[in-house]
Amino acid sequence: MSLNAFALIVLAGLIHAGWNIVAKKAAGDARFAFFTAFIMMLFWAPLGWWLGRDVVPTWGRAEWALVVASGVLHVFYYVILLRGYRKADLTVVYPVARGSGPLLSSLVAIALLGERVSALGMAGIAGVVGGVFLIAGGPGLLRAAQDPQARQRVLKGMRYGLLTGAFIASYTVVDGYAVKFLLMSPILVDYMGNFVRVALLAPAVLRDLPTAAQLWHRQWRYAMLVAVISPVAYVLVLYAMREAPLSHVAPAREVSMLFAALIGGHLLGEGDRVARVLGALCIAAGVTALALG
């Protein structure tokens, strides 16, 4: 992995952890997902038009199929993630989602896209996954199992995290194929896919406009922040995918867990500090192994 790709991933990780903390505080649902997608569509329109005015008309069936697939997968990912944040702790949902997603996408990239990973790279993946487990609570998750109420909350968080991770793996492979093999613009892949997200999420708002208006009044600041910064994080990752193997980029994204542990755990009062620090160190070692391997 080149130093440039590594730097893009680290910056993306910081931004990603930040907007997830904002989304958790918003406590939104599919309507919040629509608010962010709609604002994103408007805010980034000048850049989308400037980059796409000559390129998008040349797209064929393959490009549009990937854009539509990406948009659909991102909708499921975001709505399930938001539901998980309402039902469980961020320090369970986020680590499990971020840990299972890259593991699955790396395995798919190795099995279906012909990528290869060295023994050091495999050790890096193991370090990332182990660190994610520690940040999620590690042995504390097992201790919590003795309390029925805590156990249910942890199990809910893990279920939503795993389901979210499956969609992370899916859209990572789809978008990675688009930018690596069809050489599509990372910015356009994300921006054009956002039109699909807006169309799919609109019925959630239109079904009950008065309630949607009340939610908008409470959540628009959070939605604005997520809409402005979240695309930056993902586009940086897509650019990194152009320079490094998908099976390395996907797990390396888990550097965001370090930021989520140090920032989110403090702000939200979740998780065990020692476990979070040990998990962050495991992730740092795993990312280093991936960069070298």
Side-chain angles (χ1 to χ4, degrees):
M1 185 184 296
S2 69
L3 181 61
N4 186 48
F6 184 74
L8 290 175
I9 291 169
V10 171
L11 179 58
L14 177 59
I15 298 171
H16 193 276
W19 79 253
N20 271 265
I21 293 169
V22 172
K24 165 68 175 177
K25 292 177 73 67
D29 55 13
R31 287 164 291 197
F32 180 77
F34 173 82
F35 299 155
T36 58
F38 187 76
I39 295 172
M40 199 181 300
M41 180 181 69
L42 297 179
F43 183 86
W44 293 105
L47 180 61
W49 175 83
W50 183 64
L51 292 176
R53 66 189 189 280
D54 297 323
V55 175
V56 172
T58 67
W59 283 357
R61 290 183 178 178
E63 287 84 356
W64 282 112
L66 288 170
V67 166
V68 171
S70 174
V72 171
L73 292 171
H74 275 275
V75 164
F76 280 105
Y77 149 74
Y78 195 28
V79 171
I80 292 169
L81 177 69
L82 291 174
R83 185 173 178 83
Y85 284 164
R86 295 198 311 275
K87 301 290 184 179
D89 293 339
L90 176 139
T91 45
V92 174
V93 177
Y94 188 82
V96 173
R98 300 313 313 172
S100 58
L103 179 62
L104 292 171
S105 57
S106 293
L107 294 176
V108 170
I110 293 168
L112 301 182
L113 301 183
E115 294 188 1
R116 295 291 181 266
V117 61
S118 67
L120 185 58
M122 289 300 295
I125 292 175
V128 169
V129 174
V132 163
F133 173 71
L134 287 173
I135 290 178
L141 292 177
L142 304 179
R143 290 195 298 271
Q146 306 305 316
D147 178 359
Q149 191 172 10
R151 181 175 65 245
Q152 280 300 111
R153 189 168 180 83
V154 169
L155 289 176
K156 276 185 181 180
M158 296 187 77
R159 283 197 295 267
Y160 280 111
L162 285 171
L163 188 56
T164 302
F167 282 105
I168 291 173
S170 300
Y171 76 62
T172 298
V173 172
V174 168
D175 295 348
Y177 184 86
V179 301
K180 284 181 73 71
F181 293 93
L182 295 189
L183 301 180
M184 297 174 66
S185 163
I187 294 175
L188 289 178
V189 168
D190 187 61
Y191 182 72
M192 297 306 294
N194 191 57
F195 285 94
V196 179
R197 299 193 285 270
V198 168
L200 291 177
L201 292 166
V205 172
L206 296 176
R207 277 196 297 267
D208 188 353
L209 287 175
T211 301
Q214 293 175 7
L215 291 172
W216 167 258
H217 181 72
R218 295 201 303 266
Q219 298 173 344
W220 72 267
R221 293 177 181 83
Y222 297 115
M224 178 73 74
L225 192 55
V226 173
V228 171
I229 67 174
S230 64
V232 177
Y234 191 56
V235 167
L236 289 175
V237 170
L238 292 180
Y239 273 109
M241 287 181 187
R242 282 187 161 182
E243 300 188 20
L246 177 59
S247 54
H248 287 192
V249 172
R253 289 185 68 191
E254 302 329 294
V255 71
S256 66
M257 281 307 309
L258 188 152
F259 303 118
L262 298 177
I263 302 172
H266 174 71
L267 292 178
L268 301 174
E270 301 173 357
D272 178 70
R273 182 167 302 224
V274 174
R276 288 200 303 268
V277 171
L278 290 175
L281 290 173
C282 283
I283 289 172
V287 170
T288 301
L290 282 167
L292 297 174

